[in-house]
Amino acid sequence: TEEEQKVISKQISSKLGEEHPLDYTVTEGVTKKFGLVNAYISKISDFVLSPDFFIESDDEEQVKIIDAFCNKTKLRSYQKSWFEEGLIKGAAYMEIAGLLDPASENEIKNISSDSIFIVRDEYGKIKTFNQFLGNSYSVINETKIIPLKPEEIAYLKVNAIGNCTYGYGLVYSALCTINNFLLADKSIHRLMKRKANSPIHAVLGDKEKEDYPEQADIDAFGEKLTFMNEMTEWVTGPNCEMKVLDFGNISDKFAGILDHDYKLLSYSFQVPETIMGAGNVPEGLANVQMDGFNRRIKAYQSDISNVYVKIFDKVLLNNGYSEEEIDYKITWGQPNEE
């Protein structure tokens, strides 16, 4: 109820941090159950991460240190699920344990966005990440709250609006279109199942002769029509007239609707139709779509790089470099011969 929601919101804001802007179970559930959404997320993730990244620096030792960190922690094996979590929910968290202690071994794990709440100061800077391990927000047990240090969290925010603490991801803004698409798809399959064969309208009796059948006779004949799958020949008396009803091509009536919703989904996820297998896109338009998609991919790679830089800087500081000595850049794609 509205009153219960107010209590929950007050509990979260007073003990955990800022409330999530959306219900993550909805966007995650849609991605799990609707293959098209899952395909959009996977396509974006594949294009962003498959080129891989490498470190460039005039100081070869810095490159070796960062590469050793990535290999030892298996960073690349965690980044796909981490990035896709951000696309689905708008916020993704990767914990790098031991990053603040140069003597400790670094270990990485991804944390579900559902359990993390952010606390910011008056200037918008993140003070802490609170992980809540309880089952209910109505009464929050403080023993179930684990504070996580911002320096040890790789926080990726996707599709953030303004100064919002969390992002909104890609699925949330497409929920209305997804719902319309699924309703239309469900309707066409229901009708195709019901109207796969031409429906028959049977008229029993003769009005001019005042021959009116009993309701039981009508029901009995209707049952025969219901189970006529294996009956190919029909013989009736003169007081029974059977006609075939033609509803036209049912699928054509929904093709335009589904195509319209499919285009809206493509716009929402910013994935070109050509990548998803659409075969009727003009070549010029397809090239423009791919160019725009590649720009979007580079923007995602830049966002990830900005998160990684904070981690790699700390790794170099732990290995004796000063802030002034740190000099490298993250490049996406395969290194050239040089």
Side-chain angles (χ1 to χ4, degrees):
T1 64
E2 186 176 346
E3 289 300 321
E4 290 173 332
Q5 184 59 45
K6 289 180 180 179
V7 172
I8 289 175
S9 298
K10 186 176 181 180
Q11 285 283 318
I12 291 175
S13 60
S14 63
K15 296 184 178 180
L16 295 177
E18 297 187 39
E19 193 174 3
H20 297 155
L22 57 105
D23 187 349
Y24 293 152
T25 59
V26 173
T27 53
E28 181 180 339
V30 169
T31 306
K32 287 180 177 178
K33 294 182 179 180
F34 187 23
L36 186 56
V37 171
N38 189 48
Y40 279 126
I41 297 298
S42 295
K43 287 293 183 185
I44 296 172
S45 176
D46 291 343
F47 270 81
V48 171
L49 301 177
S50 61
D52 203 0
F53 67 89
F54 64 97
I55 307 300
E56 284 187 295
S57 176
D58 292 334
D59 186 346
E60 287 297 325
E61 189 61 26
Q62 294 189 31
V63 177
K64 291 179 181 178
I65 291 173
I66 296 175
D67 286 342
F69 169 82
C70 294
N71 294 332
K72 196 167 186 178
T73 59
K74 296 181 174 59
L75 172 66
R76 288 176 173 83
S77 65
Y78 291 94
Q79 66 180 0
K80 181 175 175 61
S81 58
W82 172 69
F83 177 59
E84 291 183 356
E85 177 101 340
L87 295 176
I88 296 169
K89 301 177 182 178
Y93 308 89
M94 182 192 296
E95 182 181 6
I96 303 94
L99 196 58
L100 296 178
D101 185 3
S104 299
E105 291 289 334
N106 298 130
E107 293 186 13
I108 289 179
K109 70 174 180 180
N110 290 331
I111 306 174
S112 173
S113 303
D114 302 39
S115 64
I116 299 294
F117 294 86
I118 297 176
V119 179
R120 297 192 298 176
D121 61 19
E122 57 183 317
Y123 302 104
K125 184 179 179 180
I126 297 177
K127 294 172 61 178
T128 185
F129 295 95
N130 282 329
Q131 184 180 19
F132 180 59
L133 303 179
N135 297 320
S136 173
Y137 295 110
S138 299
V139 179
I140 297 177
N141 188 339
E142 295 187 2
T143 61
K144 298 291 185 179
I145 302 174
I146 300 176
L148 304 174
K149 298 177 181 178
E151 295 82 3
E152 293 187 334
I153 299 295
Y155 173 42
L156 179 67
K157 191 162 53 170
V158 178
N159 195 23
I161 298 177
N163 193 35
C164 182
T165 308
Y166 311 93
Y168 284 84
L170 301 183
V171 180
Y172 181 71
S173 60
L175 284 178
C176 181
T177 304
I178 291 170
N179 189 55
N180 291 337
F181 185 95
L182 290 174
L183 286 174
D185 188 62
K186 184 178 181 180
S187 296
I188 188 174
H189 284 285
R190 183 190 295 115
L191 285 175
M192 290 298 292
K193 182 179 180 181
R194 292 180 178 177
K195 310 297 182 183
N197 297 317
S198 298
I200 294 176
H201 177 221
V203 178
L204 303 182
D206 191 334
K207 184 177 180 180
E208 294 180 358
K209 298 179 180 180
E210 296 185 353
D211 177 18
Y212 298 103
E214 298 290 334
Q215 184 63 44
D217 297 328
I218 296 175
D219 294 340
F221 198 84
E223 290 181 5
K224 290 183 179 180
L225 291 177
T226 301
F227 300 101
M228 63 176 290
N229 294 336
E230 298 179 356
M231 299 180 66
T232 57
E233 307 294 341
W234 283 79
V235 178
T236 63
N239 59 346
C240 177
E241 180 183 359
M242 300 176 68
K243 295 181 180 180
V244 175
L245 299 179
D246 185 11
F247 288 98
N249 193 334
I250 299 173
S251 61
D252 287 349
K253 300 177 182 179
F254 287 89
I257 298 174
L258 290 174
D259 186 58
H260 170 264
D261 290 342
Y262 179 75
K263 287 182 180 291
L264 289 182
L265 284 176
S266 179
Y267 301 154
S268 296
F269 287 94
Q270 300 184 50
V271 176
E273 299 166 70
T274 50
I275 290 180
M276 300 303 294
N280 57 348
V281 180
E283 183 178 354
L285 178 59
N287 291 335
V288 172
Q289 288 181 349
M290 283 303 301
D291 180 65
F293 185 60
N294 286 328
R295 292 172 187 267
R296 179 70 265 181
I297 293 303
K298 290 179 180 178
Y300 283 130
Q301 291 172 342
S302 178
D303 291 341
I304 295 175
S305 295
N306 290 335
V307 176
Y308 283 173
V309 162
K310 298 176 182 178
I311 300 172
F312 297 158
D313 283 358
K314 190 62 180 175
V315 171
L316 292 175
L317 290 172
N318 289 341
N319 280 271
Y321 282 90
S322 65
E323 293 184 0
E324 293 75 16
E325 293 174 326
I326 295 176
D327 182 21
Y328 67 92
K329 67 176 181 178
I330 300 174
T331 303
W332 290 84
Q334 297 301 315
N336 56 27
E337 288 292 333
E338 182 182 358

